[in-house]
Amino acid sequence: MPSLFFSRLKYGLALLVGAAALSACAMPDAEPGGALEQAGLQEHDVSTPAAEDGAAAAGSSGAAAAKAPFEMNNALLAFDMPPRAELAASEYKVFAHWHNFPVRQFTTTGSTAVDNYTGWLQPTGTYEGIGGWLRDRPVPILPVPPTETDWRKRDMRLDIETAAAVGIDGFLINFWFGPTDSRWKWLTNMFEAADEFNAANPAAPFHVIPNIDSHILANKPPEQNNPRERADHVATLKNHPSWMKRNGKYLIGSFRPEKLPASWYVEFFDQLRTRHGIDAVMWGSLLDPKEANRNAMKPFMAGATFSRWDNLPYSGNFTSSLNTLKAWGDANGIPYSPPVSHTDHRPTAGWALETAGFQTQYKSWKAAIDTGVKMVQILTWNDHYEGHALRPNSAMQYATYDMTAYYATWFKTRRQPTIVRDVLYYAHRMHLSTAQPDLSKQDEPFDSKNGVPFLDRVFALGMLKSSGRIEITSGGKRYGKDVPAGLQFFDAPLSVNDRPEIQLVRNGKTVVDVTSAFPTRDTIVWQDLMYRAGSSSRPVVDGVQDDLPQDRLP
């Protein structure tokens, strides 16, 4: 499938060509400080371990080993990522939740194909009052109508290979529909694509877990929510070798399992076992993980795992809730697999999560690493509706995706990867949180989830191979911080009618220089509180979301 992955190779070539064009201009001393430091946010300085004599640190030992064609070009990353086969052998596993948004979605009228994502981004129709249903879309943007007859399966293969490239072991693919629904093809194509991927990569398989959306099913009338009929549907997938097994049993996921009564699952799993010979257990992702709900789902999760479904603001206590649920899981023989995420932005709910740029992603991964859990669930791979799609997209581009490669390697190898190339990442919004929407068009102002105040800042994350100075130019002012090697966080005020610039200065010379792809605005019609992000290691993506809802009117 070389046509689908040309863009990934192209980015690597562009990086090598563009490296010679980095600015060598020195910057004057900048003003110190940052809102996060003032807010008491910790863990700004995460030093990278030095390589040991006779053996490189994790992340570089497999740099010379052969990699599959889909794997990451190390030139795009700050570290040398081990081959996927090496990471796949780890007992520590990374799964991602796949929900509702294939790479391509379009509507055909006669001979004309219309890209659905274009319409979903526009503030029209049902979603006029919130500025559009979505704030980003998948990239690369593939042509519609497709020229390939098997494009649906090829698009699923693209998702699998893109996820596998950053260390993801499999997808929990969400469904609430049956085989007569056209969306059932999402499952069959996903399984078929995974089977083919695994045949080509037997040492590093990619797993699929059918994931029941119990939240949606609970609102269906009884005739559309018969547990034995649902079991019959799932059983049609039995012969796909990519279906994930745990302790020899088929693994079935469920989002918000507590929404359905325990009696529903009794019938569902009984039907699988007695009618289809499928011994299955449940990975429950509880929206409300109170002890009563955990105990109610315990008989079905025994021998499997469970998660909490939640994305925390940067100021949340990531370790406390994790330890509580991990302790219960350990005591009951149901290992806890916490969520890791980077953001949450829901126009339909009227709120956005304050993540302080990359802090929520870093802290959720760091908590998982430090507490020793064996599996995590990324929320999510592709839920663009809730704004937390890790899949490369038009708003965050490849920034949080590339960071996942680093965190997943750290999680799987139990050693923080050595940084061997300097990379700067940036994140900021396109307007201040205080900008007032036009309430004759927007239904009401958006809130911050959990009541955490929005931060009007430009956030930088430097992955540095040696010490230097991170500088941010915003609103004509320069801010800087001298930092050691490793993961380094820095931030500065966000200004309107501007395009922030982030630089790494070392020994008086600028060695890395990246200007944001996203111009800021002073006036808005609809709020767009989705963070935009990018990095110094990749060019701006085609179709970058460098506009606001008012610019997307047809």
Side-chain angles (χ1 to χ4, degrees), residues 127-434:
Y127 303 106
E128 178 180 1
I130 58 172
W133 193 33
L134 306 183
R135 293 293 189 271
D136 68 2
R137 63 165 301 154
V139 297
I141 299 174
L142 302 180
V144 295
T147 57
E148 312 93 342
T149 57
D150 61 344
W151 64 271
R152 292 178 180 85
K153 184 170 68 174
R154 292 165 72 93
D155 285 1
M156 290 298 184
R157 178 71 177 264
L158 174 59
D159 260 349
I160 288 170
E161 297 199 353
T162 306
V166 291
I168 295 173
D169 294 289
F171 286 144
L172 294 100
I173 180 168
N174 209 43
F175 75 99
W176 58 95
F177 35 75
T180 59
D181 190 303
S182 61
R183 292 169 295 187
W184 186 258
K185 279 289 186 182
W186 295 346
L187 278 83
T188 56
N189 283 313
M190 176 70 78
F191 272 104
E192 290 172 8
D195 290 346
E196 292 177 3
F197 175 88
N198 295 346
N201 301 277
F206 193 91
H207 304 286
V208 181
I209 303 168
N211 192 89
I212 302 165
D213 195 318
S214 301
H215 172 78
I216 294 178
L217 284 186
N219 295 316
K220 297 285 186 183
E223 63 273 13
Q224 297 179 26
N225 189 21
N226 184 300
R228 294 191 180 276
E229 185 177 76
R230 292 287 175 179
D232 293 341
H233 297 163
V234 173
T236 63
L237 306 169
K238 175 182 179 180
N239 293 326
H240 288 286
S242 56
W243 189 338
M244 177 71 177
K245 313 296 191 305
R246 187 163 177 82
N247 300 320
K249 298 183 179 182
Y250 288 81
L251 192 55
I252 295 175
S254 172
F255 167 69
R256 202 180 184 185
E258 71 272 22
K259 189 69 174 175
L260 289 169
S263 58
W264 192 95
Y265 299 102
V266 169
E267 291 195 55
F268 175 81
F269 286 107
D270 179 74
Q271 183 78 355
L272 286 176
R273 185 177 60 258
T274 60
R275 179 71 181 270
H276 301 286
I278 297 176
D279 194 4
V281 289
M282 183 172 73
W283 181 341
S285 298
L286 284 76
L287 189 62
D288 180 1
K290 64 185 180 184
E291 189 165 7
N293 287 339
R294 282 177 264 148
N295 287 331
M297 295 298 109
K298 179 179 173 180
F300 316 108
M301 301 188 303
T305 185
F306 79 106
S307 298
R308 173 186 184 180
W309 188 278
D310 195 15
N311 297 311
L312 295 179
Y314 79 96
S315 57
N317 191 329
F318 290 78
T319 303
S320 176
S321 61
L322 192 161
N323 280 333
T324 298
L325 295 174
K326 181 178 182 295
W328 182 89
D330 291 346
N332 288 276
I334 308 172
Y336 181 53
S337 299
V340 292
S341 61
H342 65 283
T343 191
D344 203 333
H345 180 276
R346 307 190 192 189
T348 54
W351 56 256
L353 184 74
E354 183 51 73
T355 62
F358 306 115
Q359 284 287 339
T360 286
Q361 184 182 29
Y362 167 72
K363 286 190 166 186
S364 59
W365 273 103
K366 190 64 164 55
I369 291 166
D370 289 346
T371 54
V373 295
K374 294 294 183 70
M375 291 206 305
V376 295
Q377 181 178 177
I378 295 173
L379 306 184
T380 60
W381 175 250
N382 65 326
D383 194 342
H384 298 275
Y385 155 67
E386 292 188 354
H388 43 62
L390 180 67
R391 170 203 275 160
N393 60 72
S394 57
M396 303 293 283
Q397 302 189 86
Y398 282 79
T400 51
Y401 169 81
D402 286 349
M403 290 178 197
T404 297
Y406 187 86
Y407 297 137
T409 299
W410 189 353
F411 177 75
K412 285 172 165 287
T413 64
R414 315 311 295 166
R415 297 180 68 188
Q416 186 175 355
T418 297
I419 294 174
V420 296
R421 284 171 290 275
D422 297 311
V423 178
L424 294 178
Y425 298 91
Y426 66 85
H428 64 84
R429 297 189 174 96
M430 285 188 62
H431 65 77
L432 299 180
S433 63
T434 53

Side-chain angles (χ1 to χ4, degrees), residues 36-198:
L36 295 186
E37 290 175 329
Q38 297 162 10
L41 188 64
Q42 299 176 353
E43 300 173 324
H44 276 225
D45 178 358
V46 186
S47 298
T48 301
E52 299 175 1
D53 291 340
S60 58
S61 60
K67 286 190 172 186
F70 68 87
E71 295 191 59
M72 291 279 276
N73 180 345
N74 280 337
L76 301 174
L77 302 171
F79 72 109
D80 288 336
M81 188 172 186
R84 174 173 166 79
E86 182 179 326
L87 294 177
S90 170
E91 63 178 319
Y92 294 84
K93 301 298 181 184
V94 177
F95 287 84
H97 193 92
W98 195 103
H99 178 68
N100 203 50
F101 291 96
V103 175
R104 274 182 279 204
Q105 292 236 68
F106 62 95
T107 303
T108 303
T109 304
S111 60
T112 303
V114 177
D115 187 326
N116 289 349
Y117 285 108
T118 299
W120 292 336
L121 286 162
Q122 294 173 345
T124 57
T126 303
Y127 303 106
E128 178 180 1
I130 58 172
W133 193 33
L134 306 183
R135 293 293 189 271
D136 68 2
R137 63 165 301 154
V139 297
I141 299 174
L142 302 180
V144 295
T147 57
E148 312 93 342
T149 57
D150 61 344
W151 64 271
R152 292 178 180 85
K153 184 170 68 174
R154 292 165 72 93
D155 285 1
M156 290 298 184
R157 178 71 177 264
L158 174 59
D159 260 349
I160 288 170
E161 297 199 353
T162 306
V166 291
I168 295 173
D169 294 289
F171 286 144
L172 294 100
I173 180 168
N174 209 43
F175 75 99
W176 58 95
F177 35 75
T180 59
D181 190 303
S182 61
R183 292 169 295 187
W184 186 258
K185 279 289 186 182
W186 295 346
L187 278 83
T188 56
N189 283 313
M190 176 70 78
F191 272 104
E192 290 172 8
D195 290 346
E196 292 177 3
F197 175 88
N198 295 346

Side-chain angles (χ1 to χ4, degrees), residues 12-23:
L13 293 173
L15 170 71
L16 297 176
V17 172
L22 292 176
S23 171

Side-chain angles (χ1 to χ4, degrees), residues 481-521:
K481 181 182 180 183
D482 294 318
V483 295
L487 270 66
Q488 302 298 335
F489 296 85
F490 182 56
D491 61 281
L494 179 68
S495 299
V496 300
N497 301 320
D498 189 38
R499 196 185 287 265
E501 182 180 13
I502 299 88
Q503 294 178 314
L504 172 63
V505 179
R506 187 176 287 134
N507 300 322
K509 293 185 178 181
T510 300
V511 293
V512 180
D513 188 346
V514 58
T515 299
S516 171
F518 307 97
T520 59
R521 307 281 192 85

